[in-house]
Amino acid sequence: MSSNESSETRYRSEVRGSNNTLCHRELSVTASVISMTVGIFSNSFALFILIKSYSRHRIKSKASFLLFASSLVTTDLLGHLINGSLVLHVYRFHRKWDTFDPHGIVCSIFGVCMVFYGLSPLFLSSAMAVERFIGVTKPIFHSTVLASHHVRRLLGFTWLLAAIVALLPLLLRRPYEVQSSRSFCFFHMEHPKDWLDILLPLIFSVLGLLALLLSIVCNTLASCALLQGRLRHKHGCRGTSYHLEMICQLLAIMLVSCVCWGPLLVHVIILSTRAKEESSSFSLLTMVRMATWNQILDPWVYILLRKAVLRKIFMLFHSCWGSQLHTFHRWQRSTLGSSGEMNKSDCLRYSRQPLPDTTIQFIT
């Protein structure tokens, strides 16, 4: 293809003008292997925890959230596995696309996977935020209307929407192209031929930014509603504990998505609406690498921000500092303690004597 030939010419000139190309390639391969390995391990571990939690929870609202979370982690896991394998395949052939992909089939698959596994976590995060907002503000409506089959349909819709956006360039005969870094395929954004070359990356970026905005709005409103309910009922209610846990996880996911994906989405809009320079594709590669960290950090939100882990951390602090953290212990007892786990005598006993080391252990 002509675009590959022009990219190959640019790449050869870059190789002749640099003595560090081989070292740079080895570092890129090493970084890709590490990112893929850590991502697969993190998402597999988080998926094991979520499936275990889903099997033992009978609270409908919690089960719906865990189903969303398990789907998000599974999507991240497949994204690391498939995209990472494609990257290693490209580096295996020294990024010579004309040699191993003369018809552009691998490039098309790579571009579709990049867009699909990029948008799917953003759409799932926004769907989780909407579900949690309804669960906090309209619990009766949530319990009567949002049944498990409705949640599965919503999951299918988010994946379908991401797949349509990913396949749109192929359906409109505007295939994905090898970027100047020669390590991945993405939308055609250098010197767009017509309005379609501008529209396609704009659809990707605008939908991603809208998903982030929806997550921010719903998570903020749900957090405010939960805080308002806590202030109105100072002693709390039985369901506040898991609501607080899920809101903390959603806020962390939202923060990670904004930091990792925000720069790339904004950068794609800028690149697709103005004249480009040769160095723009390499800055795009940097943004893409930042976005991949979203799929690495997401599972650790579910691993670390769990009620059991948070409770153990506060108990550890209490055993170390004693009365200095009396206020934190009271907050932990009222919001993080599950029903039936602590009564008043237990709280008095914990406040008078330090906790043994056996209470701090690994939670699965």
Side-chain angles (χ1 to χ4, degrees), residues 96-159:
K96 296 179 180 179
W97 291 83
D98 291 335
T99 301
F100 68 88
D101 188 32
H103 302 292
I105 298 177
V106 176
C107 184
S108 298
I109 296 174
F110 203 166
V112 169
C113 292
M114 287 279 293
V115 175
F116 176 78
Y117 290 109
L119 286 179
S120 292
L122 297 177
F123 290 164
L124 288 172
S125 298
S126 62
M128 291 168 63
V130 173
E131 187 270 342
R132 202 74 325 262
F133 170 72
I134 297 175
V136 172
T137 58
K138 306 289 184 181
I140 299 178
F141 175 82
H142 183 277
S143 60
T144 55
V145 176
L146 289 181
S148 59
H149 63 277
H150 292 130
V151 174
R152 293 188 180 93
R153 288 178 183 176
L154 184 57
L155 286 173
F157 174 76
T158 56
W159 283 322

